[in-house]
Amino acid sequence: MSQKDFWISVLKRLKPTIKKANFITWFQNTTALSVENGVLVVGVPTAFAKTWLLDKFSLKILQAAKEIDPSIESVEYEVKGKLSEKGNALAVNINSFFVDDGVKSVRKVKNLNEVKVGKGAGDKKIVSQMINRRYSLSNFVVGSDNRLPHAACQAVAGMPGGIYNPLYIYGTVGLGKTHLLQAVGNEILKNFPDLVVKYITAERFVTEVVDAIGKRHMSQFKDRYRNVDCFLVDDVQFFARKNSSQQEFFHTFNELYDGNKQIVLTSDRAPSELDDLDERLKSRFSMGMVTELVLPDFETRLAILHQKCGEYGIIIDPEVLCFVATNVQTSVRELEGVLKQIVADMQLFDRVATMRSVADIIKRMNKAQKIIGYDIEGRNGKIVVRSAAEIMDVVAEYYGVTVDQIVGKDRHRSVMLPRQVSMYLIKNELGDSYEKIGMGFGGRNHTTVLHACNKTVDMLKTDLRLVRDLNAIKREMGL
Ligand code: ADP
Ligand code: MG
Protein backbone atom coordinates (compact mmCIF):
# COMPACT_ATOMS: atom_id res chain seq x y z
CA MET A 1 0.00 0.00 0.00
CA SER A 2 1.36 3.41 -0.94
CA GLN A 3 1.69 6.13 1.68
CA LYS A 4 -1.15 8.01 0.06
CA ASP A 5 -3.46 4.97 0.05
CA PHE A 6 -2.55 4.32 3.64
CA TRP A 7 -3.49 7.86 4.64
CA ILE A 8 -6.75 7.67 2.66
CA SER A 9 -7.66 4.51 4.59
CA VAL A 10 -6.92 6.25 7.86
CA LEU A 11 -9.06 9.24 6.85
CA LYS A 12 -11.91 6.96 5.81
CA ARG A 13 -11.91 5.44 9.26
CA LEU A 14 -11.77 8.84 10.94
CA LYS A 15 -14.48 10.46 8.86
CA PRO A 16 -17.54 8.90 10.57
CA THR A 17 -16.16 9.70 14.04
CA ILE A 18 -15.54 13.41 13.47
CA LYS A 19 -17.96 16.19 12.66
CA LYS A 20 -17.83 17.14 9.00
CA ALA A 21 -16.87 20.75 9.65
CA ASN A 22 -14.01 19.68 11.89
CA PHE A 23 -12.96 16.94 9.54
CA ILE A 24 -12.66 19.32 6.62
CA THR A 25 -11.02 22.06 8.64
CA TRP A 26 -8.35 20.00 10.33
CA PHE A 27 -7.61 17.24 7.86
CA GLN A 28 -7.48 19.33 4.69
CA ASN A 29 -3.97 19.15 3.21
CA THR A 30 -2.72 16.52 5.63
CA THR A 31 -0.72 13.52 4.53
CA ALA A 32 1.24 10.55 5.87
CA LEU A 33 4.92 11.36 5.47
CA SER A 34 6.36 8.09 6.73
CA VAL A 35 5.80 5.00 8.83
CA GLU A 36 9.01 3.81 10.43
CA ASN A 37 9.88 1.95 13.63
CA GLY A 38 6.31 2.12 14.82
CA VAL A 39 6.07 5.90 14.33
CA LEU A 40 3.61 7.40 11.88
CA VAL A 41 4.65 10.91 10.82
CA VAL A 42 1.74 13.02 9.64
CA GLY A 43 2.40 16.08 7.48
CA VAL A 44 0.22 19.09 8.31
CA PRO A 45 -0.08 22.51 6.63
CA THR A 46 0.36 24.78 9.67
CA ALA A 47 1.68 24.77 13.21
CA PHE A 48 -1.82 25.57 14.24
CA ALA A 49 -3.28 22.44 12.63
CA LYS A 50 -0.54 20.49 14.36
CA THR A 51 -1.52 21.75 17.80
CA TRP A 52 -5.15 21.12 17.11
CA LEU A 53 -4.64 17.56 15.84
CA LEU A 54 -2.34 16.84 18.77
CA ASP A 55 -4.82 18.16 21.31
CA LYS A 56 -8.07 16.85 19.91
CA PHE A 57 -7.60 13.98 17.50
CA SER A 58 -4.31 12.29 18.33
CA LEU A 59 -5.88 9.27 19.95
CA LYS A 60 -8.38 8.76 17.16
CA ILE A 61 -5.67 9.05 14.53
CA LEU A 62 -3.52 6.53 16.36
CA GLN A 63 -6.40 4.08 16.71
CA ALA A 64 -7.37 4.37 13.06
CA ALA A 65 -3.75 3.95 11.93
CA LYS A 66 -3.29 0.94 14.23
CA GLU A 67 -6.27 -0.79 12.67
CA ILE A 68 -4.51 -0.70 9.33
CA ASP A 69 -0.97 -1.23 10.54
CA PRO A 70 -0.84 -2.76 14.04
CA SER A 71 2.90 -2.08 14.30
CA ILE A 72 2.23 1.67 14.70
CA GLU A 73 2.81 2.77 18.30
CA SER A 74 2.74 6.53 18.10
CA VAL A 75 1.97 9.49 15.85
CA GLU A 76 4.07 12.56 15.26
CA TYR A 77 3.28 15.69 13.30
CA GLU A 78 5.44 17.71 11.00
CA VAL A 79 4.54 21.13 9.57
CA LYS A 80 4.92 20.96 5.80
CA GLY A 81 3.33 24.20 4.64
CA LYS A 82 0.59 24.15 2.06
CA LEU A 83 0.56 20.95 0.03
CA SER A 84 -0.60 21.87 -3.41
CA GLU A 85 -3.05 19.31 -4.57
CA LYS A 86 -1.78 18.99 -8.08
CA GLY A 87 1.90 19.35 -7.47
CA ASN A 88 2.27 16.92 -4.60
CA ALA A 89 1.68 13.25 -5.18
CA LEU A 90 0.95 12.73 -1.48
CA ALA A 91 -1.72 15.38 -1.05
CA VAL A 92 -5.23 14.09 -0.40
CA ASN A 93 -8.21 16.16 -1.43
CA ILE A 94 -10.50 16.03 1.57
CA ASN A 95 -13.51 17.30 -0.40
CA SER A 96 -13.52 14.08 -2.40
CA PHE A 97 -14.61 12.29 0.78
CA PHE A 98 -17.95 14.01 0.57
CA VAL A 99 -18.63 13.63 -3.13
CA ASP A 100 -20.61 10.42 -2.58
CA ASP A 101 -23.01 12.12 -0.18
CA GLY A 102 -23.68 14.79 -2.77
CA VAL A 103 -24.27 12.38 -5.65
CA LYS A 104 -26.76 10.32 -3.71
CA SER A 105 -28.90 13.29 -2.84
CA VAL A 106 -28.71 14.69 -6.37
CA ARG A 107 -30.32 11.52 -7.69
CA LYS A 108 -32.95 11.59 -5.01
CA VAL A 109 -33.93 15.11 -5.89
CA LYS A 110 -33.97 14.43 -9.60
CA ASN A 111 -36.50 11.68 -9.06
CA LEU A 112 -38.61 13.74 -6.74
CA ASN A 113 -38.63 17.11 -8.35
CA GLU A 114 -37.49 16.61 -11.91
CA VAL A 115 -34.82 19.25 -11.72
CA LYS A 116 -34.71 21.20 -14.92
CA VAL A 117 -31.32 21.34 -16.55
CA GLY A 118 -29.70 23.68 -18.99
CA LYS A 119 -30.85 27.05 -17.75
CA GLY A 120 -28.79 29.90 -19.09
CA ALA A 121 -25.64 30.40 -17.07
CA GLY A 122 -26.08 34.12 -17.59
CA ASP A 123 -29.18 34.68 -15.48
CA LYS A 124 -27.89 32.28 -12.83
CA LYS A 125 -25.00 34.65 -12.33
CA ILE A 126 -27.35 37.58 -11.90
CA VAL A 127 -29.60 35.95 -9.33
CA SER A 128 -26.78 34.67 -7.16
CA GLN A 129 -24.53 37.69 -7.27
CA MET A 130 -25.24 38.79 -3.72
CA ILE A 131 -24.19 35.57 -2.10
CA ASN A 132 -20.88 35.79 -0.32
CA ARG A 133 -18.69 32.82 -1.23
CA ARG A 134 -17.01 33.01 2.16
CA TYR A 135 -20.01 31.50 3.91
CA SER A 136 -20.19 27.73 3.81
CA LEU A 137 -21.75 25.04 5.92
CA SER A 138 -18.34 23.59 6.65
CA ASN A 139 -16.90 26.81 8.07
CA PHE A 140 -19.89 27.25 10.35
CA VAL A 141 -18.72 25.84 13.67
CA VAL A 142 -21.26 23.44 15.07
CA GLY A 143 -21.70 23.22 18.84
CA SER A 144 -24.31 21.39 20.83
CA ASP A 145 -26.68 24.37 20.78
CA ASN A 146 -26.72 25.08 17.06
CA ARG A 147 -26.59 21.53 15.77
CA LEU A 148 -30.23 21.56 14.68
CA PRO A 149 -30.28 24.68 12.50
CA HIS A 150 -27.05 23.53 10.87
CA ALA A 151 -28.37 20.02 10.23
CA ALA A 152 -31.57 21.45 8.75
CA CYS A 153 -29.50 23.59 6.39
CA GLN A 154 -27.48 20.56 5.40
CA ALA A 155 -30.64 18.61 4.68
CA VAL A 156 -32.01 21.44 2.57
CA ALA A 157 -28.76 21.79 0.63
CA GLY A 158 -28.74 18.05 -0.06
CA MET A 159 -32.38 17.96 -1.09
CA PRO A 160 -33.92 21.33 -1.93
CA GLY A 161 -37.71 21.34 -1.92
CA GLY A 162 -37.78 18.33 0.37
CA ILE A 163 -39.34 17.97 3.81
CA TYR A 164 -37.85 21.09 5.38
CA ASN A 165 -39.81 23.60 3.34
CA PRO A 166 -39.95 26.36 4.18
CA LEU A 167 -37.01 26.35 6.54
CA TYR A 168 -37.30 29.21 9.02
CA ILE A 169 -34.27 30.15 11.12
CA TYR A 170 -34.54 32.76 13.83
CA GLY A 171 -32.35 34.25 16.53
CA THR A 172 -31.01 37.58 17.78
CA VAL A 173 -28.49 39.66 15.87
CA GLY A 174 -25.02 38.33 15.07
CA LEU A 175 -25.59 34.64 15.68
CA GLY A 176 -25.00 33.43 12.14
CA LYS A 177 -28.39 33.56 10.39
CA THR A 178 -27.10 35.27 7.27
CA HIS A 179 -24.08 32.97 7.31
CA LEU A 180 -26.27 29.86 7.29
CA LEU A 181 -28.69 31.27 4.75
CA GLN A 182 -25.97 32.15 2.27
CA ALA A 183 -24.18 28.90 2.98
CA VAL A 184 -27.32 27.02 1.91
CA GLY A 185 -27.23 29.00 -1.34
CA ASN A 186 -23.55 28.25 -1.94
CA GLU A 187 -23.99 24.59 -1.13
CA ILE A 188 -27.00 24.19 -3.42
CA LEU A 189 -25.14 25.88 -6.27
CA LYS A 190 -22.28 23.49 -5.67
CA ASN A 191 -24.48 20.38 -5.49
CA PHE A 192 -26.87 21.40 -8.26
CA PRO A 193 -25.18 23.87 -10.58
CA ASP A 194 -28.28 24.07 -12.75
CA LEU A 195 -30.59 25.40 -10.08
CA VAL A 196 -31.37 29.09 -9.87
CA VAL A 197 -30.69 30.43 -6.39
CA LYS A 198 -31.89 33.84 -5.30
CA TYR A 199 -30.80 35.52 -2.11
CA ILE A 200 -32.48 38.73 -1.06
CA THR A 201 -32.99 40.68 2.13
CA ALA A 202 -36.61 41.47 3.00
CA GLU A 203 -35.59 45.11 2.98
CA ARG A 204 -34.40 44.89 -0.61
CA PHE A 205 -37.55 43.02 -1.58
CA VAL A 206 -39.63 45.86 -0.18
CA THR A 207 -37.58 48.39 -2.13
CA GLU A 208 -38.08 46.41 -5.32
CA VAL A 209 -41.84 46.22 -4.76
CA VAL A 210 -42.11 49.93 -4.10
CA ASP A 211 -39.99 50.65 -7.14
CA ALA A 212 -42.08 48.34 -9.35
CA ILE A 213 -45.33 49.88 -8.18
CA GLY A 214 -44.01 53.38 -8.83
CA LYS A 215 -42.86 52.50 -12.34
CA ARG A 216 -45.87 50.29 -13.04
CA HIS A 217 -43.54 47.37 -13.70
CA MET A 218 -45.37 44.82 -11.60
CA SER A 219 -45.46 42.09 -14.21
CA GLN A 220 -41.71 42.36 -14.79
CA PHE A 221 -41.24 42.17 -11.07
CA LYS A 222 -43.25 38.96 -10.87
CA ASP A 223 -41.24 37.45 -13.74
CA ARG A 224 -38.08 38.00 -11.82
CA TYR A 225 -39.07 35.38 -9.29
CA ARG A 226 -40.86 32.94 -11.54
CA ASN A 227 -37.95 30.68 -12.40
CA VAL A 228 -36.22 30.72 -9.01
CA ASP A 229 -35.58 27.22 -7.60
CA CYS A 230 -34.27 28.25 -4.23
CA PHE A 231 -35.46 31.43 -2.59
CA LEU A 232 -33.46 32.74 0.35
CA VAL A 233 -34.97 35.68 2.21
CA ASP A 234 -33.06 37.35 5.01
CA ASP A 235 -34.61 39.22 7.97
CA VAL A 236 -38.31 38.79 7.19
CA GLN A 237 -39.23 40.75 10.32
CA PHE A 238 -38.67 43.74 8.05
CA PHE A 239 -42.01 43.00 6.33
CA ALA A 240 -43.88 44.21 9.42
CA ARG A 241 -46.33 47.01 8.53
CA LYS A 242 -45.33 46.97 4.85
CA ASN A 243 -48.66 45.84 3.58
CA SER A 244 -48.32 45.87 -0.17
CA SER A 245 -44.92 44.21 0.07
CA GLN A 246 -46.39 41.55 2.33
CA GLN A 247 -49.05 40.81 -0.22
CA GLU A 248 -46.55 40.58 -3.03
CA PHE A 249 -44.34 38.37 -0.93
CA PHE A 250 -47.30 36.18 -0.08
CA HIS A 251 -47.97 35.55 -3.78
CA THR A 252 -44.33 34.89 -4.60
CA PHE A 253 -44.10 32.55 -1.65
CA ASN A 254 -47.19 30.59 -2.66
CA GLU A 255 -46.17 30.29 -6.26
CA LEU A 256 -42.74 28.98 -5.42
CA TYR A 257 -43.99 26.75 -2.65
CA ASP A 258 -46.63 25.19 -4.87
CA GLY A 259 -43.96 24.58 -7.47
CA ASN A 260 -41.98 22.59 -4.88
CA LYS A 261 -39.24 25.19 -4.78
CA GLN A 262 -37.11 25.52 -1.69
CA ILE A 263 -37.68 28.55 0.53
CA VAL A 264 -35.44 29.49 3.43
CA LEU A 265 -36.22 32.45 5.69
CA THR A 266 -34.46 34.11 8.58
CA SER A 267 -35.79 36.46 11.20
CA ASP A 268 -34.93 37.92 14.56
CA ARG A 269 -37.93 36.24 16.18
CA ALA A 270 -40.27 33.25 15.96
CA PRO A 271 -43.13 33.41 13.41
CA SER A 272 -45.73 33.71 16.17
CA GLU A 273 -43.95 36.78 17.53
CA LEU A 274 -43.94 38.68 14.26
CA ASP A 275 -46.31 41.48 15.14
CA ASP A 276 -47.88 43.52 12.37
CA LEU A 277 -47.57 40.67 9.94
CA ASP A 278 -50.41 39.11 8.02
CA GLU A 279 -51.68 36.00 9.81
CA ARG A 280 -51.62 34.07 6.55
CA LEU A 281 -47.93 34.78 6.15
CA LYS A 282 -47.20 33.80 9.73
CA SER A 283 -48.85 30.46 9.24
CA ARG A 284 -47.00 29.90 5.95
CA PHE A 285 -43.72 30.58 7.74
CA SER A 286 -44.42 27.86 10.30
CA MET A 287 -45.47 25.22 7.79
CA GLY A 288 -42.11 23.54 7.41
CA MET A 289 -39.29 23.55 9.89
CA VAL A 290 -38.78 26.32 12.45
CA THR A 291 -35.47 26.35 14.27
CA GLU A 292 -33.75 28.77 16.62
CA LEU A 293 -30.12 29.89 16.70
CA VAL A 294 -28.87 30.73 20.18
CA LEU A 295 -25.63 32.15 21.53
CA PRO A 296 -23.07 29.32 21.33
CA ASP A 297 -21.71 27.99 24.62
CA PHE A 298 -18.16 28.63 25.78
CA GLU A 299 -16.64 25.60 24.01
CA THR A 300 -18.24 26.53 20.72
CA ARG A 301 -17.19 30.16 21.05
CA LEU A 302 -13.65 28.94 21.61
CA ALA A 303 -13.86 26.64 18.59
CA ILE A 304 -15.12 29.56 16.48
CA LEU A 305 -12.12 31.65 17.56
CA HIS A 306 -9.73 28.81 16.71
CA GLN A 307 -11.34 28.39 13.33
CA LYS A 308 -11.20 32.11 12.53
CA CYS A 309 -7.51 32.23 13.53
CA GLY A 310 -6.97 29.41 11.08
CA GLU A 311 -8.77 31.40 8.39
CA TYR A 312 -6.69 34.51 9.13
CA GLY A 313 -3.52 32.41 9.26
CA ILE A 314 -2.37 33.67 12.67
CA ILE A 315 -1.48 32.10 15.98
CA ILE A 316 -2.79 33.29 19.32
CA ASP A 317 -2.03 31.61 22.62
CA PRO A 318 -4.95 29.23 23.36
CA GLU A 319 -5.10 30.64 26.86
CA VAL A 320 -5.71 34.11 25.45
CA LEU A 321 -8.44 32.74 23.18
CA CYS A 322 -10.10 31.13 26.22
CA PHE A 323 -10.00 34.52 27.87
CA VAL A 324 -11.77 36.10 24.88
CA ALA A 325 -14.40 33.33 24.71
CA THR A 326 -15.07 33.78 28.43
CA ASN A 327 -15.47 37.52 28.26
CA VAL A 328 -17.30 38.15 25.00
CA GLN A 329 -20.73 36.67 25.49
CA THR A 330 -22.96 38.89 23.43
CA SER A 331 -22.84 37.45 19.92
CA VAL A 332 -20.62 35.71 17.45
CA ARG A 333 -20.35 38.90 15.44
CA GLU A 334 -18.93 40.71 18.47
CA LEU A 335 -16.62 37.79 19.14
CA GLU A 336 -15.37 38.11 15.59
CA GLY A 337 -15.11 41.89 15.94
CA VAL A 338 -12.88 41.58 19.00
CA LEU A 339 -10.73 38.97 17.26
CA LYS A 340 -10.31 41.21 14.22
CA GLN A 341 -9.20 44.05 16.47
CA ILE A 342 -6.71 41.76 18.20
CA VAL A 343 -5.32 40.69 14.84
CA ALA A 344 -5.13 44.31 13.66
CA ASP A 345 -3.17 45.26 16.78
CA MET A 346 -0.85 42.30 16.37
CA GLN A 347 -0.09 43.19 12.79
CA LEU A 348 0.23 46.89 13.44
CA PHE A 349 2.66 46.54 16.33
CA ASP A 350 4.20 43.13 15.59
CA ARG A 351 3.15 42.04 19.04
CA VAL A 352 1.81 38.85 20.50
CA ALA A 353 -1.66 39.14 22.00
CA THR A 354 -1.56 38.77 25.77
CA MET A 355 -4.31 38.64 28.37
CA ARG A 356 -3.51 42.21 29.22
CA SER A 357 -3.55 43.54 25.66
CA VAL A 358 -6.75 41.65 24.94
CA ALA A 359 -8.37 42.84 28.17
CA ASP A 360 -7.56 46.38 27.03
CA ILE A 361 -9.19 45.78 23.66
CA ILE A 362 -12.34 44.28 25.17
CA LYS A 363 -12.59 47.21 27.52
CA ARG A 364 -11.91 49.75 24.80
CA MET A 365 -14.57 48.20 22.57
CA ASN A 366 -16.91 47.95 25.52
CA LYS A 367 -17.75 44.31 24.82
CA ALA A 368 -17.99 43.12 28.40
CA GLN A 369 -19.48 44.70 31.48
CA LYS A 370 -16.89 43.27 33.78
CA ILE A 371 -13.74 41.55 32.66
CA ILE A 372 -13.41 38.09 34.12
CA GLY A 373 -9.99 36.59 34.78
CA TYR A 374 -7.75 39.63 34.51
CA ASP A 375 -7.40 42.67 36.69
CA ILE A 376 -6.48 45.48 34.31
CA GLU A 377 -5.84 48.20 36.88
CA GLY A 378 -3.86 45.94 39.17
CA ARG A 379 -2.29 44.07 36.23
CA ASN A 380 -2.81 40.91 38.23
CA GLY A 381 -0.45 42.21 40.90
CA LYS A 382 2.55 42.62 38.59
CA ILE A 383 4.71 45.72 38.44
CA VAL A 384 5.26 46.89 34.90
CA VAL A 385 8.80 46.32 33.69
CA ARG A 386 10.33 49.54 32.38
CA SER A 387 13.98 49.04 31.57
CA ALA A 388 16.11 46.86 29.30
CA ALA A 389 17.86 45.41 32.35
CA GLU A 390 14.55 44.38 33.90
CA ILE A 391 13.43 42.76 30.64
CA MET A 392 16.66 40.76 30.45
CA ASP A 393 16.19 39.66 34.06
CA VAL A 394 12.71 38.29 33.40
CA VAL A 395 13.71 36.58 30.15
CA ALA A 396 16.82 35.04 31.72
CA GLU A 397 14.83 33.71 34.63
CA TYR A 398 12.13 32.30 32.33
CA TYR A 399 14.61 30.40 30.17
CA GLY A 400 16.84 29.39 33.08
CA VAL A 401 19.97 31.21 31.87
CA THR A 402 21.95 34.14 33.27
CA VAL A 403 21.91 37.74 32.04
CA ASP A 404 25.66 37.42 31.40
CA GLN A 405 24.96 34.56 29.03
CA ILE A 406 22.28 36.57 27.22
CA VAL A 407 24.63 39.49 26.71
CA GLY A 408 27.63 37.26 25.96
CA LYS A 409 28.94 35.69 22.77
CA ASP A 410 27.85 32.07 23.15
CA ARG A 411 25.97 30.92 20.03
CA HIS A 412 24.34 27.86 21.55
CA ARG A 413 20.59 27.68 20.91
CA SER A 414 19.79 27.65 24.61
CA VAL A 415 21.13 31.22 24.93
CA MET A 416 20.54 32.42 21.35
CA LEU A 417 16.76 32.23 21.76
CA PRO A 418 16.63 34.18 25.06
CA ARG A 419 18.97 36.76 23.51
CA GLN A 420 16.76 37.15 20.47
CA VAL A 421 13.61 37.36 22.59
CA SER A 422 15.18 40.00 24.86
CA MET A 423 16.14 42.16 21.89
CA TYR A 424 12.66 41.83 20.42
CA LEU A 425 10.96 42.76 23.69
CA ILE A 426 13.21 45.74 24.33
CA LYS A 427 12.51 47.03 20.82
CA ASN A 428 8.78 46.37 21.06
CA GLU A 429 8.07 47.51 24.59
CA LEU A 430 10.61 50.29 25.09
CA GLY A 431 11.04 51.40 21.49
CA ASP A 432 14.84 51.76 21.85
CA SER A 433 16.82 52.19 18.62
CA TYR A 434 18.62 49.18 17.17
CA GLU A 435 21.95 50.91 17.84
CA LYS A 436 21.15 51.47 21.48
CA ILE A 437 19.97 47.90 21.95
CA GLY A 438 23.15 46.65 20.24
CA MET A 439 25.27 48.63 22.71
CA GLY A 440 23.42 47.00 25.61
CA PHE A 441 24.31 43.59 24.22
CA GLY A 442 28.10 43.93 24.36
CA GLY A 443 28.41 46.43 21.49
CA ARG A 444 26.68 44.34 18.84
CA ASN A 445 25.99 45.78 15.41
CA HIS A 446 22.54 47.26 14.86
CA THR A 447 21.88 44.88 11.93
CA THR A 448 22.26 41.93 14.29
CA VAL A 449 19.54 43.37 16.49
CA LEU A 450 17.35 44.15 13.51
CA HIS A 451 17.74 40.59 12.28
CA ALA A 452 16.87 39.13 15.71
CA CYS A 453 13.72 41.26 15.92
CA ASN A 454 12.56 40.37 12.41
CA LYS A 455 13.24 36.71 12.98
CA THR A 456 11.15 36.74 16.15
CA VAL A 457 8.26 38.45 14.37
CA ASP A 458 8.44 35.80 11.65
CA MET A 459 8.60 32.92 14.08
CA LEU A 460 5.60 34.24 15.99
CA LYS A 461 3.52 33.56 12.90
CA THR A 462 4.13 29.82 12.98
CA ASP A 463 5.67 28.83 16.29
CA LEU A 464 3.02 28.22 18.93
CA ARG A 465 5.70 27.35 21.49
CA LEU A 466 7.31 30.78 21.11
CA VAL A 467 3.89 32.47 21.25
CA ARG A 468 3.27 30.75 24.56
CA ASP A 469 6.76 31.66 25.85
CA LEU A 470 6.22 35.31 25.05
CA ASN A 471 2.86 35.30 26.72
CA ALA A 472 4.27 33.87 29.90
CA ILE A 473 7.20 36.30 29.86
CA LYS A 474 5.00 39.30 29.20
CA ARG A 475 2.69 38.25 31.98
CA GLU A 476 5.68 38.26 34.34
CA MET A 477 6.43 41.75 33.13
CA GLY A 478 2.86 42.90 33.82
CA LEU A 479 2.20 43.42 30.09
P1 ADP B 1 -26.87 37.35 11.79
O1 ADP B 1 -27.29 37.29 10.36
O2 ADP B 1 -27.54 36.32 12.63
O3 ADP B 1 -26.98 38.71 12.39
P2 ADP B 1 -24.28 36.72 10.71
O4 ADP B 1 -24.65 35.53 9.89
O5 ADP B 1 -24.04 37.98 9.97
O6 ADP B 1 -25.34 36.97 11.87
O7 ADP B 1 -23.01 36.32 11.58
C1 ADP B 1 -22.11 37.26 12.12
C2 ADP B 1 -20.69 36.75 11.96
O8 ADP B 1 -20.48 35.65 12.82
C3 ADP B 1 -20.41 36.25 10.56
O9 ADP B 1 -19.12 36.68 10.18
C4 ADP B 1 -20.43 34.75 10.69
O10 ADP B 1 -19.54 34.13 9.77
C5 ADP B 1 -20.00 34.53 12.11
N1 ADP B 1 -20.57 33.32 12.73
C6 ADP B 1 -21.72 33.22 13.41
N2 ADP B 1 -21.92 31.98 13.88
C7 ADP B 1 -20.85 31.25 13.48
C8 ADP B 1 -20.45 29.89 13.67
N3 ADP B 1 -21.19 29.04 14.37
N4 ADP B 1 -19.29 29.49 13.11
C9 ADP B 1 -18.52 30.36 12.42
N5 ADP B 1 -18.83 31.65 12.23
C10 ADP B 1 -19.97 32.11 12.74
MG1 MG C 1 -28.07 38.82 9.13
Side-chain angles (χ1 to χ4, degrees):
M1 191 190 298
S2 76
Q3 256 158 302
K4 182 168 179 172
D5 290 338
F6 169 77
W7 189 236
I8 289 175
S9 313
V10 172
L11 290 176
K12 279 192 176 146
R13 268 157 227 262
L14 287 170
K15 185 189 154 199
T17 71
I18 297 172
K19 269 183 249 151
K20 182 177 172 183
N22 279 332
F23 188 71
I24 293 177
T25 309
W26 302 116
F27 289 90
Q28 187 65 278
N29 286 323
T30 57
T31 181
L33 291 174
S34 65
V35 181
E36 264 169 40
N37 308 325
V39 181
L40 161 66
V41 182
V42 177
V44 295
T46 59
F48 190 58
K50 173 174 168 173
T51 320
W52 198 262
L53 290 181
L54 252 176
D55 272 10
K56 299 281 178 194
F57 301 114
S58 227
L59 198 63
K60 281 188 175 165
I61 296 172
L62 178 61
Q63 279 165 351
K66 248 181 164 5
E67 281 176 26
I68 300 158
D69 180 348
S71 75
I72 294 175
E73 293 294 335
S74 66
V75 184
E76 284 172 11
Y77 302 87
E78 201 171 296
V79 181
K80 296 302 284 181
K82 284 246 180 306
L83 299 157
S84 104
E85 286 176 12
K86 292 196 184 71
N88 189 323
L90 285 179
V92 175
N93 181 2
I94 216 87
N95 294 320
S96 62
F97 283 79
F98 295 96
V99 168
D100 287 352
D101 307 358
V103 169
K104 253 182 253 146
S105 41
V106 171
R107 283 203 201 99
K108 242 190 250 159
V109 171
K110 288 209 167 165
N111 293 341
L112 272 177
N113 281 349
E114 293 174 289
V115 174
K116 285 178 239 90
V117 286
K119 275 184 189 141
D123 46 1
K124 196 168 47 200
K125 220 167 148 199
I126 296 165
V127 289
S128 52
Q129 66 188 3
M130 285 173 68
I131 296 188
N132 187 339
R133 293 268 146 195
R134 189 170 74 83
Y135 295 130
S136 72
L137 289 177
S138 51
N139 68 14
F140 187 86
V141 178
V142 185
S144 50
D145 297 322
N146 56 18
R147 197 162 281 157
L148 199 64
H150 182 263
C153 288
Q154 247 168 352
V156 163
M159 197 169 118
I163 46 171
Y164 297 138
N165 200 21
L167 171 61
Y168 185 101
I169 303 167
Y170 71 98
T172 51
V173 68
L175 295 185
K177 300 183 295 294
T178 299
H179 183 134
L180 278 180
L181 189 64
Q182 300 212 350
V184 168
N186 281 324
E187 204 80 9
I188 288 182
L189 283 175
K190 199 169 80 197
N191 293 343
F192 313 95
D194 297 316
L195 292 189
V196 176
V197 175
K198 169 96 177 162
Y199 166 87
I200 192 165
T201 60
E203 186 173 3
R204 173 75 191 262
F205 189 90
V206 170
T207 313
E208 285 189 8
V209 171
V210 171
D211 194 50
I213 294 173
K215 291 186 179 144
R216 302 176 193 284
H217 281 166
M218 230 35 225
S219 61
Q220 270 136 299
F221 174 83
K222 287 189 203 312
D223 280 350
R224 212 176 290 166
Y225 294 95
R226 191 149 295 156
N227 60 4
V228 168
D229 299 298
C230 171
F231 194 34
L232 310 169
V233 189
D234 213 350
D235 291 320
V236 296
Q237 75 276 1
F238 196 79
F239 284 130
R241 288 185 300 279
K242 318 268 184 332
N243 290 336
S244 46
S245 300
Q246 277 184 40
Q247 254 181 39
E248 207 42 59
F249 187 70
F250 184 69
H251 293 313
T252 311
F253 183 104
N254 286 343
E255 210 166 297
L256 293 175
Y257 183 81
D258 292 341
N260 256 339
K261 310 301 182 161
Q262 178 68 50
I263 299 166
V264 187
L265 311 162
T266 73
S267 168
D268 67 353
R269 65 202 85 169
S272 59
E273 286 161 14
L274 288 164
D275 300 329
D276 301 308
L277 204 78
D278 189 341
E279 286 301 325
R280 296 177 307 169
L281 259 186
K282 282 200 218 175
S283 75
R284 290 290 185 291
F285 288 175
S286 346
M287 257 170 358
M289 164 93 165
V290 176
T291 171
E292 184 181 3
L293 265 181
V294 295
L295 180 75
D297 58 15
F298 168 77
E299 277 80 13
T300 313
R301 293 203 295 279
L302 187 58
I304 291 173
L305 289 172
H306 275 291
Q307 150 131 342
K308 303 271 168 187
C309 284
E311 284 172 19
Y312 302 151
I314 51 138
I315 299 189
I316 295 178
D317 191 328
E319 201 185 14
V320 173
L321 290 182
C322 278
F323 179 69
V324 178
T326 308
N327 279 289
V328 183
Q329 306 190 353
T330 35
S331 76
V332 181
R333 181 173 299 152
E334 308 243 285
L335 197 63
E336 220 182 353
V338 169
L339 184 64
K340 279 185 183 151
Q341 193 55 54
I342 296 173
V343 174
D345 274 23
M346 285 168 68
Q347 288 172 344
L348 211 55
F349 305 114
D350 282 333
R351 282 197 181 146
V352 292
T354 63
M355 300 259 269
R356 167 158 181 84
S357 71
V358 168
D360 271 339
I361 288 172
I362 294 175
K363 199 171 166 217
R364 193 166 79 221
M365 294 176 76
N366 204 8
K367 295 300 184 209
Q369 287 191 318
K370 185 179 173 299
I371 290 180
I372 306 163
Y374 193 92
D375 169 15
I376 295 196
E377 309 312 331
R379 293 171 186 250
N380 275 16
K382 297 278 171 358
I383 298 154
V384 189
V385 166
R386 273 190 218 88
S387 71
E390 283 171 317
I391 288 177
M392 282 192 237
D393 271 345
V394 177
V395 174
E397 161 130 33
Y398 179 82
Y399 284 107
V401 296
T402 64
V403 172
D404 281 349
Q405 283 175 307
I406 288 186
V407 177
K409 300 275 178 231
D410 189 350
R411 299 187 55 81
H412 192 268
R413 204 191 125 76
S414 61
V415 292
M416 284 282 277
L417 184 68
R419 185 176 300 143
Q420 185 188 319
V421 165
S422 303
M423 290 176 176
Y424 161 83
L425 280 170
I426 294 169
K427 179 75 207 163
N428 244 270
E429 301 305 329
L430 305 179
D432 289 0
S433 70
Y434 295 118
E435 281 80 7
K436 182 174 172 198
I437 299 173
M439 295 308 294
F441 283 78
R444 280 182 163 83
N445 192 290
H446 72 277
T447 52
T448 311
V449 182
L450 175 73
H451 178 72
C453 292
N454 286 345
K455 192 168 168 210
T456 311
V457 170
D458 271 354
M459 281 169 69
L460 286 173
K461 288 175 188 148
T462 52
D463 191 336
L464 180 63
R465 176 76 195 271
L466 185 63
V467 170
R468 284 184 158 152
D469 284 354
L470 269 160
N471 254 287
I473 292 167
K474 288 182 91 166
R475 187 158 43 221
E476 275 313 301
M477 300 181 359
L479 292 168

